[in-house]
Amino acid sequence: MSLYGGSRDISLLRHINRELMHNIISQQIIYYGYNIEDTKVNIYGETTSGRIFQEPVILYTLIERADQSSPIEDGVINFSQPVTFKFLRADLVDANVLVEEGDIIQWQNAYWEIDNVISNQYFVGKDPRYSNTDSTGTNPLETGLEDFGTSLSLICNTHYVPADRIGLDKQRI
Amino acid sequence: MANITIYDGTSLFYPGATPFGFYDNDYQFQTDADKVVTFCARRLGYPIENIELQDINFYAAFEEAVTTYGNEIYAYKIRQDYLSLEGTPTTTTTLNTDVIQPNLSSIIRMSHQYGEEAGVGGTVTWYTGSLVVTSNQQNYDLNAWAQDSASISATDRIEVKRVFFEAPPAITRYFDPYAGTGTGMVELMDTFGWGSYSPAISFMMMPINYDLQKIQAIEFNDQIRKSQFTFELVNNNIRIFPIPTVSGGKLRFEYIKESDRNSINAPGTAGGVSNVSNVPYKNPTYSEINSIGRQWIFEYTLALVKEVLGYVRGKYGTIPIPGAEVTLNHADLITAATAEKASLVEKLKGYLEDTSREKLLERRALEADYKQKELNLVPQPIFIG
């Protein structure tokens, strides 16, 4: 029987995370979700008129950034700075944002494209979406598992992408 | 997704918001409740920090603080007055507002035991009994007599308190010329020319020690020169001296039932105060607590709230945040709250001790001493008429 990590605990957890991320640390980004439906591609999978993105959304996040580097490739000096953006899943749910690889994150005046999304931080080790219930909503071993635990975060590993490559132009937020 | 609200900077007290509702209908309590919430929240860092509590947590702490304050006050009063309160009716509505008049009831009740043994008071009845002595029988079993004649249970015993074997008191023979000591006064009275007066109607003023010595002389005379009526009493078996020569005489004595002495119920106290738990003190009336008391209550409420907040923040040792963990200040909160609570209670107890009767009388005596010393410094002029 689960005892810890119930809905009240999750609520407390959310309050503390939001206090920390929203009121104390307050790091924000602008999130551009990739609109795959409206993006026209040719038979080679290339866009002819650029990628289309969803309306931008401002989100709180925790940012872990590596140092900038300037690798030389093909005789050209590039710019590189891997950044990890860590989101509170509850914030994403409230903002109705679905995080996927290929989405763009604007932080300060630069853009980062999501390479992969890690969803592996479970409070008390449980994700309530997988409560192993049958068609009648019953778990034969235990009831109420859907009320315990939470998947706390989404962590996005990104790479820097020049603005001209994604065709985004800040006009209005 | 459940969303448990936390304190948002506003609160509105309503009767029923506290766990017990002891003070919910007290207007002053209602008024102060929300102010206390604001006080505590701000002392804990709101609005800069979130306080992961709800208004009812604050109200519960406030109610507990008032109750604790009352408990300390009235527990002190009970300690102070318990000798006077023990045995008094518990049906009294409340003693909260009564000034206790000290009395000696408990002291006298405790003294009964000594009076009982001396036969001059107490609550154990002394019974009288007698048995018929038999010629040439020196030993008599009073246990057997008690079972036959004293209406006691099989497991009860009697304890003989007095055996009537003594001669009449010596004072009754004070003027008896045959008492064996002589009056000792004849020559003296003759000297003063009063020899012809009858001893029964004429007196010579003598010091009291003379009377005592003469009475003692009469008793010693009886004991040493006469028949030595006496007895030995061991385990309620009495051996009388001398051995009776005739049957039919009665040996009279007084006794108590041991069950009476073993009775632990003090007469006249049935249903009265028997221990500190039923002294009729009730929770205090909040609106009658003065500002000193209320400030104590506010600070104690803050300590309680701090403690609760510590427990809330400390249920999990660390709190996960995206990609990391943080440790909150629950340990600091609980440590501080525990120390503050103990300190406040100690401070209150000290304050109460300073106002005990003993301390007040001490202080008053000291004041009198100091006043006297100060007055002694005033020059005392010599009056020249």
Side-chain angles (χ1 to χ4, degrees), chain B residues 60-304:
Chain B
F62 186 36
E63 182 185 55
E64 184 182 340
V66 178
T67 305
T68 303
Y69 181 75
N71 286 351
E72 290 297 331
I73 299 278
Y74 297 131
Y76 159 77
K77 287 292 293 173
I78 291 171
R79 285 197 299 273
Q80 176 91 344
D81 297 315
Y82 190 71
L83 282 178
S84 300
L85 293 169
E86 195 176 45
T88 56
T90 56
T91 51
T92 307
T93 309
T94 176
L95 292 175
N96 285 24
T97 54
D98 289 0
V99 175
I100 304 299
Q101 170 83 32
N103 61 54
L104 291 174
S105 60
S106 289
I107 301 294
I108 291 173
R109 194 160 43 245
M110 285 189 282
S111 304
H112 279 164
Q113 55 191 324
Y114 306 108
E116 284 160 5
E117 295 308 311
V120 291
T123 57
V124 176
T125 304
W126 282 38
Y127 300 93
T128 58
S130 65
L131 56 81
V132 179
V133 295
T134 306
S135 173
N136 295 322
Q137 182 181 344
Q138 190 176 14
N139 298 323
Y140 298 87
D141 183 355
L142 294 183
N143 285 324
W145 174 89
Q147 289 298 326
D148 292 341
S149 311
S151 303
I152 62 172
S153 67
T155 56
D156 200 359
R157 281 169 56 91
I158 64 167
E159 181 177 300
V160 175
K161 306 300 286 187
R162 182 188 290 178
V163 177
F164 292 95
F165 73 99
E166 301 100 333
I171 189 66
T172 62
R173 290 185 289 156
Y174 188 83
F175 295 112
D176 183 354
Y178 304 106
T181 62
T183 66
M185 295 168 58
V186 176
E187 188 178 347
L188 183 67
M189 295 178 79
D190 278 344
T191 305
F192 285 93
W194 300 332
S196 60
Y197 288 79
S198 164
I201 57 171
S202 62
F203 298 92
M204 177 71 184
M205 180 70 77
M206 301 294 285
I208 195 71
N209 68 345
Y210 175 85
D211 291 352
L212 292 173
Q213 287 173 337
K214 184 170 177 182
I215 288 169
Q216 197 174 42
I218 293 169
E219 289 175 349
F220 277 178
N221 181 56
D222 286 352
Q223 288 173 8
I224 295 167
R225 296 177 180 150
K226 291 190 176 178
S227 59
Q228 289 282 14
F229 284 105
T230 186
F231 66 93
E232 277 179 3
L233 183 64
V234 177
N235 191 25
N236 280 346
N237 287 299
I238 190 166
R239 169 177 288 185
I240 56 177
F241 302 92
I243 299 170
T245 54
V246 293
S247 297
K250 282 198 170 181
L251 175 67
R252 299 181 188 278
F253 51 89
E254 288 180 335
Y255 65 94
I256 63 168
K257 296 177 182 176
E258 289 192 357
S259 58
D260 287 351
R261 184 166 57 193
N262 293 341
S263 173
I264 55 173
N265 295 320
T269 61
V273 170
S274 59
N275 58 66
V276 295
S277 75
N278 58 5
V279 180
Y281 279 107
K282 299 192 184 316
N283 285 317
T285 302
Y286 181 78
S287 56
E288 292 174 0
I289 297 174
N290 61 18
S291 62
I292 301 168
R294 287 191 197 181
Q295 185 57 35
W296 188 95
I297 289 167
F298 298 157
E299 290 180 18
Y300 199 78
T301 305
L302 174 61
L304 290 172

